[in-house]
Amino acid sequence: MRQLVRVFIDDGTFCPGFQFLPGGQLQPTVTALFRRAMEPDIPHNYFTVWMVTPSRDLAGTRPVDHLKTNPAPLLRALESCRWR
């Protein structure tokens, strides 16, 4: 459960689909990014928004668009993001 990205809305808890592979397993790139995001205590909801928002660090594409490629650019983009 600690590896799952969750979104908290009112009293509900939701798990975004971008973190799952077609067979239901966790997407390794997302779990690596999420582990890194949890080190400085980035809230789950912020991480989820970051995943689906176009990024200057990724030439205007969304991190979720790069899940099947090399994770290094995603890790760099995550590191350069200002969270608060």
Side-chain angles (χ1 to χ4, degrees), residues 11-42:
D11 291 333
T13 302
F14 306 89
C15 295
F18 63 73
Q19 68 187 317
F20 299 104
L21 294 170
Q25 302 90 348
L26 292 175
Q27 163 55 267
T29 301
V30 175
T31 57
L33 287 167
F34 187 57
R35 254 191 321 274
R36 179 63 193 103
M38 291 294 95
E39 290 172 11
D41 293 325
I42 296 168

Side-chain angles (χ1 to χ4, degrees), residues 16-78:
F18 63 73
Q19 68 187 317
F20 299 104
L21 294 170
Q25 302 90 348
L26 292 175
Q27 163 55 267
T29 301
V30 175
T31 57
L33 287 167
F34 187 57
R35 254 191 321 274
R36 179 63 193 103
M38 291 294 95
E39 290 172 11
D41 293 325
I42 296 168
H44 289 239
N45 288 11
Y46 286 25
F47 177 80
T48 300
V49 169
W50 175 78
M51 285 292 294
V52 298
T53 302
S55 168
R56 281 183 285 198
D57 295 317
L58 299 170
T61 60
R62 305 171 307 160
V64 74
D65 298 325
H66 296 269
L67 293 178
K68 294 181 182 176
T69 63
N70 179 0
L74 290 171
L75 287 167
R76 285 192 299 273
L78 180 68

